Amino acid sequence: MSPRHAIRFYLNGELVILDDVAPDLTILDYLRVNAMLRGTKEGCAEGDCGACTVLVGRLTGEDGGEEKLQYQAINSCIRFLATLDGCDLVTVDHLSTPDGALHPVQEAMVDKHGSQCGFCTPGFVMALYAMWLNGTHADRESVLLNLQNNLCRCTGYRPIVDAALSISDYGNVDDDPLVRSSAEALARLRDLKDGKRVVIESANGRLFLPADADDLAAILAEHPEATIAAGTTDVGLWVTKMMRSIAPVVFIGHLDDLRGITVTPDAVEFGATVTYEDARPAVESHFPALVALWDRIAGTQIRNMGTICGNIANGSPIGDTPPPLIALGAEIVLRKGNVRRAVRLEDFFIAYGRQDRQPGEFVESVRIPRPDPQRLFATYKVSKRRDEDITAVLGAFNLRIEDGVVREAAIAYGGMAGIPCRARRVEAALLGQPWTLATVERAMTAYEDDFQPLSDWRASADYRMTVARNLLMRFYLASLDKTDERLAAGGVL
Ligand SMILES: Cc1cc2nc3c(=O)[nH]c(=O)nc-3n(C[C@H](O)[C@H](O)[C@H](O)COP(=O)(O)OP(=O)(O)OC[C@H]3O[C@@H](n4cnc5c(N)ncnc54)[C@H](O)[C@@H]3O)c2cc1C
Ligand code: FES
Ligand code: FES
């Protein structure tokens, strides 16, 4: 099938076809500079503040035989325009009406005094709009979770939370234009699907949107030097903060055949394009001890975009998923052409900035063994801010204790070395020993043999070492009380 050389998407209900798209053109820049829609604001340009929040509607795979149109809030400052191919983009401008009447979300914000300088307001309005459409605005806990990715520097959050909780007093979601026209929108998006690879050559380089996973493998075989971009929550910042060129780039976030979640009696396998939010139901069912950590990874918009496999493939020493997945014994499947190989996750990370991945190879999935209910398993994330902050130190503990003696131990840390890695000497100090305070205190002296952490602006080396040791003590103390909710819930600090 010959490739298509243009992207096609809907912007507030109007079809847009573009054949000259720079690989690094963000949705936000397109909206503000090209489409002259300046309601969407730029605050940080790094995915943190949510001022640039827009909704992206996409067809989700077969669900009981029925295709669905799902709208999610995303940060337009770090997502690239080309990734909208086949999607329905909704901006704050969509909420305006010819007679100037306010949308229920806007009315709630006005009545509850949810805006002062107004700079953050379009982003909050769109985040609230997404909550209203998805029915997650009804209780305070859910509102707080869904507003993690929106920052306001002058109003304060209480009025905005009040606005979220009261939206339904101002209207019925079934009367919302987006809901009323969803059948037509779904049909329109279905018509855009042609199963073709998209290739666009521009002055800033070439971009690819593969037709499927096999096509991705073929493109990477031909262009092994290409940047792979999934949710673009890391790659986006290479452009907006580091001014790096990402061309040629292969966008993969749209690939439904890599979005699978396969549950077997022993393990759960997440495909390369499974985002944190896609994964949430499976995490809740099969890894309840990770739910609290999930809620501490970035904020909703980033969790709607970022993938687990991207968190692994970026090789960061402070990514949140590698330590618990290493402690659980996860492995990844790497694919090059039609050749696949499985690599233990802990072996994938070789040194800072170096992973066991060949040019042209991509991470196809991550397979995570389900935790043995007889084991003690917990993950603790320590960061400067509770919500939406990058880890300073993260410790994951997976112990099998029989008759009061430690029989197996897998302990992994992030933020303590150039890569996420096991605390082998600490594990050795525990193995075969009674699970007692004395053993734990002895094991705490082994940390210096395992790690020589760095000082940076997130934490000093001394702080990291102290916290790492104390997390083992915390794990021990929590383990004494089997009903301790912190342990049961993953004990995230
Ligand atoms: C505001 C903000 C907050 C954040 N908070 C957190 C946090 O709390 N905890 C945390 O761990 N991270 C956090 N991150 C980082 C980021 O969201 C995660 O690392 C995310 O999981 C990356 O996934 P992605 O799909 O967006 O990756 P991308 O940005 O698309 O790619 C990341 C890297 O992985 C490579 N890659 C992606 N997919 C594949 C694949 N299938 N095969 C081979 N290579 C691939 C890319 O080439 C790139 O090198 C945050 C980011 C932002 C912007
Ligand atoms: S501008 Fe701050 S998240 Fe996009
Ligand atoms: S109203 Fe000023 S930053 Fe939120």
Side-chain angles (χ1 to χ4, degrees):
M1 205 185 288
S2 58
R4 180 155 43 87
H5 296 289
I7 57 163
R8 306 177 304 185
F9 62 96
Y10 283 87
L11 168 56
N12 297 329
E14 298 290 324
L15 179 63
V16 179
I17 301 176
L18 298 170
D19 59 6
D20 185 12
V21 182
D24 52 4
L25 177 63
T26 63
I27 296 175
L28 181 63
D29 281 350
Y30 169 77
L31 287 174
R32 292 183 58 83
V33 179
N34 302 62
M36 300 295 280
L37 290 173
R38 295 189 170 147
T40 308
K41 303 297 179 205
E42 178 175 272
C44 62
E46 59 182 67
D48 260 313
C49 73
C52 64
T53 302
V54 295
L55 303 196
V56 173
R58 67 174 171 87
L59 295 180
T60 58
E62 300 285 311
D63 187 10
E66 201 191 332
E67 219 165 13
K68 287 200 173 150
L69 175 56
Q70 182 189 27
Y71 287 96
Q72 287 186 315
I74 60 116
N75 286 331
S76 62
C77 64
I78 52 168
R79 179 145 163 197
F80 299 102
L81 188 72
T83 68
L84 287 180
D85 188 54
C87 294
D88 193 16
L89 174 64
V90 181
T91 70
V92 70
D93 314 271
H94 157 85
L95 299 186
S96 64
T97 51
D99 64 359
L102 293 181
H103 185 274
V105 172
Q106 294 168 315
E107 274 193 81
M109 282 287 275
V110 171
D111 278 6
K112 302 293 175 190
H113 308 286
S115 178
Q116 282 190 26
C117 79
F119 200 83
C120 68
T121 306
F124 271 100
V125 164
M126 292 310 280
L128 298 189
Y129 186 33
M131 280 187 230
W132 196 48
L133 291 175
N134 296 322
T136 51
H137 66 296
D139 67 89
R140 194 180 155 78
E141 202 182 324
S142 163
V143 168
L144 293 180
L145 184 68
N146 282 287
L147 285 181
Q148 282 172 326
N149 215 159
N150 289 82
L151 303 181
C152 174
R153 281 295 161 260
C154 44
T155 301
Y157 296 97
R158 191 194 46 75
I160 299 171
V161 172
D162 288 347
L165 292 169
S166 67
I167 303 171
S168 295
D169 298 343
Y170 297 88
N172 184 336
V173 71
D174 293 332
D175 296 332
D176 183 80
L178 217 50
V179 176
R180 273 194 279 118
S181 63
S182 64
E184 297 95 83
L186 192 138
R188 285 198 309 251
L189 293 191
R190 204 178 275 145
D191 284 348
L192 290 186
K193 278 193 165 183
D194 59 6
K196 288 187 175 182
R197 173 194 291 189
V198 176
V199 184
I200 297 182
E201 192 85 54
S202 77
N204 283 16
R206 193 187 293 183
L207 71 85
F208 297 91
L209 291 159
D212 53 27
D214 289 344
D215 194 33
L216 165 63
I219 291 170
L220 289 176
E222 232 181 290
H223 303 277
E225 78 291 3
T227 306
I228 300 171
T232 73
T233 61
D234 288 318
V235 173
L237 277 72
W238 300 355
V239 171
T240 61
K241 294 289 141 174
M242 300 179 208
M243 312 300 161
R244 269 170 63 179
S245 166
I246 55 168
V249 58
V250 189
F251 294 113
I252 67 168
H254 61 290
L255 294 178
D256 284 335
D257 54 348
L258 291 178
R259 209 183 300 283
I261 299 176
T262 311
V263 181
T264 63
D266 303 327
V268 183
E269 186 164 358
F270 297 92
T273 60
V274 174
T275 64
Y276 295 109
E277 280 309 313
D278 293 337
R280 180 179 288 275
V283 170
E284 285 172 355
S285 302
H286 307 295
F287 305 97
L290 287 179
V291 172
L293 175 67
W294 233 244
D295 291 345
R296 295 272 313 274
I297 297 176
T300 299
Q301 285 88 321
I302 297 294
R303 290 193 294 263
N304 284 337
M305 301 164 70
T307 61
I308 306 171
C309 288
N311 198 231
I312 291 168
N314 71 17
S316 166
I318 44 174
D320 282 344
T321 61
L325 302 196
I326 287 173
L328 287 170
E331 58 178 27
I332 56 172
V333 177
L334 289 152
R335 175 174 174 185
K336 183 172 182 171
N338 282 326
V339 179
R340 292 177 173 83
R341 64 189 176 107
V343 173
R344 287 193 321 159
L345 184 55
E346 64 179 279
D347 298 333
F348 178 65
F349 304 106
I350 299 169
Y352 181 74
R354 261 185 67 213
Q355 299 89 41
D356 178 9
R357 186 167 73 83
Q358 305 303 313
E361 206 170 30
F362 65 97
V363 180
E364 194 174 49
S365 64
V366 56
R367 199 180 294 144
I368 313 172
R370 293 159 75 162
D372 177 346
Q374 301 309 315
R375 289 174 181 240
L376 295 175
F377 172 64
T379 299
Y380 304 102
K381 168 171 174 169
V382 180
S383 55
K384 283 188 173 172
R385 216 170 40 198
R386 206 204 81 89
D387 283 336
E388 210 201 10
D389 202 0
I390 302 289
T391 283
V393 178
L394 187 146
F397 304 84
N398 186 7
L399 261 58
R400 183 167 69 83
I401 296 168
E402 252 176 40
D403 301 326
V405 174
V406 181
R407 295 295 176 198
E408 286 178 68
I411 298 177
Y413 276 85
M416 293 297 288
I419 53 173
C421 57
R422 300 264 298 259
R424 293 278 185 191
R425 293 191 179 81
V426 176
E427 292 172 5
L430 295 172
L431 280 173
Q433 301 300 316
W435 183 232
T436 60
L437 185 62
T439 299
V440 169
E441 282 175 343
R442 249 195 325 277
M444 285 169 77
T445 64
Y447 274 84
E448 265 151 25
D449 300 329
D450 273 320
F451 300 121
Q452 291 82 45
L454 293 176
S455 291
D456 62 18
W457 61 270
R458 281 199 179 89
S460 67
D462 283 350
Y463 176 84
R464 287 195 155 103
M465 187 57 88
T466 305
V467 166
R469 284 197 205 102
N470 288 349
L471 290 184
L472 177 64
M473 178 59 81
R474 177 178 179 166
F475 178 65
Y476 170 71
L477 293 175
S479 77
L480 297 182
D481 178 2
K482 295 275 167 40
T483 61
D484 187 323
E485 280 179 15
R486 290 170 306 175
L487 191 63
V492 180
L493 283 171

